Amino acid sequence: MWLLPIVLAAGGCGVPTDRDPRPIEPSVTIGSYEGPMANPSPGAFVERLYLVRDNQLVPVDRRVSALPSPQRHVEDLVTGPTPQERAADLDSALAGTSYITGVQLRNGTAVVGLAVDNPIRNDETLAYGQIVCTLAARADIVGVRFAKDGRTIEVPRGDGALTSDLLTDADYQSLIAP
Protein backbone atom coordinates (compact mmCIF):
# COMPACT_ATOMS: atom_id res chain seq x y z
CA MET A 1 0.00 0.00 0.00
CA TRP A 2 2.78 2.43 0.76
CA LEU A 3 4.45 1.66 -2.62
CA LEU A 4 1.67 3.26 -4.72
CA PRO A 5 2.26 6.86 -3.46
CA ILE A 6 6.02 6.55 -4.18
CA VAL A 7 5.39 5.36 -7.75
CA LEU A 8 2.87 8.14 -8.36
CA ALA A 9 5.26 10.75 -6.93
CA ALA A 10 8.15 9.51 -9.08
CA GLY A 11 6.02 9.62 -12.20
CA GLY A 12 5.34 13.31 -11.72
CA CYS A 13 8.93 14.47 -11.21
CA GLY A 14 8.66 17.28 -13.75
CA VAL A 15 10.00 15.65 -16.93
CA PRO A 16 7.34 15.89 -19.63
CA THR A 17 6.70 12.92 -21.88
CA ASP A 18 5.89 13.09 -25.59
CA ARG A 19 3.96 10.56 -27.60
CA ASP A 20 6.36 10.80 -30.55
CA PRO A 21 10.10 11.49 -30.74
CA ARG A 22 10.99 15.08 -31.37
CA PRO A 23 14.24 16.55 -32.70
CA ILE A 24 16.55 18.21 -30.21
CA GLU A 25 18.16 21.38 -31.45
CA PRO A 26 21.82 21.33 -30.47
CA SER A 27 23.34 24.55 -29.21
CA VAL A 28 26.48 23.89 -31.29
CA THR A 29 26.53 22.42 -34.74
CA ILE A 30 29.23 19.78 -34.87
CA GLY A 31 31.84 20.39 -37.56
CA SER A 32 31.10 24.03 -38.22
CA TYR A 33 32.64 25.72 -35.21
CA GLU A 34 34.54 28.84 -36.24
CA GLY A 35 36.08 29.62 -32.87
CA PRO A 36 39.75 29.91 -31.90
CA MET A 37 40.61 26.24 -32.50
CA ALA A 38 39.16 26.12 -36.04
CA ASN A 39 42.64 26.95 -37.35
CA PRO A 40 45.39 25.92 -34.92
CA SER A 41 47.42 28.94 -33.94
CA PRO A 42 51.12 29.02 -33.15
CA GLY A 43 51.63 27.16 -29.94
CA ALA A 44 48.91 24.58 -30.56
CA PHE A 45 51.30 21.70 -29.78
CA VAL A 46 53.74 20.95 -26.97
CA GLU A 47 57.37 20.08 -27.64
CA ARG A 48 59.04 18.65 -24.54
CA LEU A 49 62.77 19.15 -24.19
CA TYR A 50 65.07 18.16 -21.36
CA LEU A 51 67.49 20.91 -20.37
CA VAL A 52 70.02 21.03 -17.52
CA ARG A 53 70.05 22.86 -14.20
CA ASP A 54 72.43 22.02 -11.34
CA ASN A 55 73.55 18.77 -13.04
CA GLN A 56 69.97 17.53 -13.32
CA LEU A 57 67.67 17.05 -16.29
CA VAL A 58 64.70 19.42 -16.23
CA PRO A 59 61.66 18.89 -18.50
CA VAL A 60 60.67 22.04 -20.38
CA ASP A 61 57.54 22.36 -22.51
CA ARG A 62 57.61 24.70 -25.48
CA ARG A 63 54.54 25.67 -27.48
CA VAL A 64 55.03 25.08 -31.21
CA SER A 65 52.76 25.48 -34.23
CA ALA A 66 53.32 21.91 -35.50
CA LEU A 67 54.67 18.69 -34.07
CA PRO A 68 58.34 18.50 -35.06
CA SER A 69 59.95 15.46 -36.64
CA PRO A 70 62.38 13.57 -34.37
CA GLN A 71 65.23 15.20 -36.32
CA ARG A 72 63.81 18.70 -35.77
CA HIS A 73 63.13 17.91 -32.11
CA VAL A 74 66.82 17.11 -31.56
CA GLU A 75 67.86 20.20 -33.54
CA ASP A 76 65.72 22.31 -31.19
CA LEU A 77 67.41 20.60 -28.24
CA VAL A 78 70.91 21.26 -29.62
CA THR A 79 70.02 24.92 -30.23
CA GLY A 80 69.81 25.21 -26.47
CA PRO A 81 67.70 27.23 -24.08
CA THR A 82 65.77 30.33 -25.04
CA PRO A 83 66.61 33.61 -23.28
CA GLN A 84 63.66 33.03 -20.92
CA GLU A 85 64.90 29.52 -20.13
CA ARG A 86 68.42 30.83 -19.53
CA ALA A 87 66.93 33.41 -17.14
CA ALA A 88 65.50 30.42 -15.23
CA ASP A 89 69.07 29.05 -14.95
CA LEU A 90 68.52 26.34 -17.57
CA ASP A 91 71.41 25.26 -19.76
CA SER A 92 72.34 22.41 -22.05
CA ALA A 93 75.17 19.91 -22.26
CA LEU A 94 74.52 19.92 -26.03
CA ALA A 95 74.32 23.61 -26.91
CA GLY A 96 76.53 24.44 -29.84
CA THR A 97 77.68 20.89 -30.53
CA SER A 98 77.61 19.43 -34.01
CA TYR A 99 78.34 15.77 -33.40
CA ILE A 100 74.75 14.58 -34.03
CA THR A 101 74.57 13.62 -37.69
CA GLY A 102 70.88 12.75 -37.83
CA VAL A 103 67.91 10.97 -36.28
CA GLN A 104 66.02 8.13 -37.94
CA LEU A 105 62.84 6.54 -36.67
CA ARG A 106 62.71 2.75 -37.14
CA ASN A 107 59.65 0.91 -35.78
CA GLY A 108 59.38 3.22 -32.77
CA THR A 109 63.13 3.31 -32.10
CA ALA A 110 64.98 6.57 -32.63
CA VAL A 111 68.48 5.92 -33.95
CA VAL A 112 70.68 8.94 -33.29
CA GLY A 113 73.71 9.11 -35.55
CA LEU A 114 76.89 10.50 -34.07
CA ALA A 115 79.99 11.81 -35.84
CA VAL A 116 83.07 9.64 -35.71
CA ASP A 117 85.00 12.35 -33.90
CA ASN A 118 82.70 12.91 -30.97
CA PRO A 119 83.66 16.09 -29.06
CA ILE A 120 81.38 15.36 -26.10
CA ARG A 121 82.11 17.42 -23.04
CA ASN A 122 82.88 16.01 -19.63
CA ASP A 123 79.15 16.05 -18.81
CA GLU A 124 78.41 13.42 -21.48
CA THR A 125 75.99 11.49 -19.29
CA LEU A 126 73.79 14.59 -19.10
CA ALA A 127 74.15 15.10 -22.85
CA TYR A 128 72.98 11.56 -23.64
CA GLY A 129 70.26 11.89 -20.99
CA GLN A 130 68.99 15.07 -22.65
CA ILE A 131 68.72 13.34 -26.01
CA VAL A 132 67.14 10.14 -24.70
CA CYS A 133 64.63 11.83 -22.39
CA THR A 134 63.65 14.38 -25.04
CA LEU A 135 63.03 11.73 -27.69
CA ALA A 136 61.40 9.28 -25.25
CA ALA A 137 58.86 11.98 -24.33
CA ARG A 138 57.40 11.62 -27.84
CA ALA A 139 54.41 9.32 -28.33
CA ASP A 140 55.93 7.83 -31.50
CA ILE A 141 59.21 6.75 -29.84
CA VAL A 142 59.61 3.81 -27.45
CA GLY A 143 63.37 3.96 -27.08
CA VAL A 144 66.64 5.40 -28.35
CA ARG A 145 69.88 3.92 -29.70
CA PHE A 146 73.07 5.66 -30.75
CA ALA A 147 75.15 4.76 -33.80
CA LYS A 148 78.42 5.72 -35.48
CA ASP A 149 78.95 4.76 -39.09
CA GLY A 150 75.71 2.75 -38.94
CA ARG A 151 76.83 0.59 -35.98
CA THR A 152 75.20 0.72 -32.56
CA ILE A 153 77.57 2.08 -29.92
CA GLU A 154 77.66 2.05 -26.13
CA VAL A 155 76.76 5.23 -24.28
CA PRO A 156 76.48 6.00 -20.56
CA ARG A 157 73.20 5.54 -18.74
CA GLY A 158 72.30 7.77 -15.80
CA ASP A 159 74.33 5.59 -13.43
CA GLY A 160 77.41 5.91 -15.67
CA ALA A 161 77.36 2.29 -16.89
CA LEU A 162 77.91 1.88 -20.62
CA THR A 163 75.22 0.12 -22.65
CA SER A 164 74.21 -0.45 -26.25
CA ASP A 165 70.71 -1.51 -25.15
CA LEU A 166 67.59 0.41 -26.10
CA LEU A 167 67.46 3.44 -23.80
CA THR A 168 64.42 5.16 -22.30
CA ASP A 169 63.91 7.97 -19.80
CA ALA A 170 63.91 5.31 -17.06
CA ASP A 171 67.66 4.86 -17.70
CA TYR A 172 68.20 8.49 -16.64
CA GLN A 173 65.57 8.71 -13.90
CA SER A 174 68.22 9.39 -11.25
CA LEU A 175 69.22 12.55 -13.17
CA ILE A 176 65.72 13.96 -13.65
CA ALA A 177 64.93 16.81 -11.28
CA PRO A 178 62.07 16.08 -8.89
Side-chain angles (χ1 to χ4, degrees):
M1 236 0 167
W2 57 270
L3 187 58
L4 185 59
I6 292 175
V7 171
L8 290 174
C13 66
V15 178
T17 59
D18 292 337
R19 288 190 102 116
D20 298 315
R22 63 182 160 110
I24 299 175
E25 298 298 324
S27 60
V28 174
T29 305
I30 298 172
S32 70
Y33 179 65
E34 297 298 328
M37 292 307 288
N39 295 314
S41 60
F45 298 94
V46 174
E47 175 188 49
R48 174 159 282 186
L49 303 171
Y50 278 79
L51 297 176
V52 177
R53 181 190 302 131
D54 298 327
N55 290 317
Q56 290 190 305
L57 300 172
V58 178
V60 174
D61 292 336
R62 292 183 182 169
R63 304 299 294 181
V64 293
S65 60
L67 284 176
S69 67
Q71 173 72 36
R72 180 65 198 178
H73 209 142
V74 170
E75 289 170 2
D76 290 346
L77 180 64
V78 171
T79 298
T82 65
Q84 296 86 358
E85 291 162 349
R86 283 203 185 282
D89 293 326
L90 292 166
D91 200 356
S92 175
L94 296 165
T97 61
S98 60
Y99 67 91
I100 298 173
T101 60
V103 180
Q104 294 181 351
L105 189 57
R106 298 179 187 154
N107 298 322
T109 298
V111 180
V112 179
L114 300 178
V116 176
D117 293 328
N118 214 351
I120 295 179
R121 304 175 348 189
N122 60 1
D123 49 0
E124 71 176 356
T125 301
L126 284 172
Y128 286 113
Q130 279 187 264
I131 297 167
V132 170
C133 291
T134 293
L135 289 172
R138 296 174 57 97
D140 58 344
I141 294 178
V142 295
V144 179
R145 291 188 192 278
F146 292 87
K148 282 185 188 175
D149 286 335
R151 289 181 239 172
T152 301
I153 63 166
E154 291 184 326
V155 299
R157 293 186 320 217
D159 61 5
L162 293 176
T163 185
S164 60
D165 292 341
L166 189 67
L167 295 162
T168 68
D169 55 347
D171 293 297
Y172 298 91
Q173 195 62 45
S174 63
L175 298 177
I176 298 174

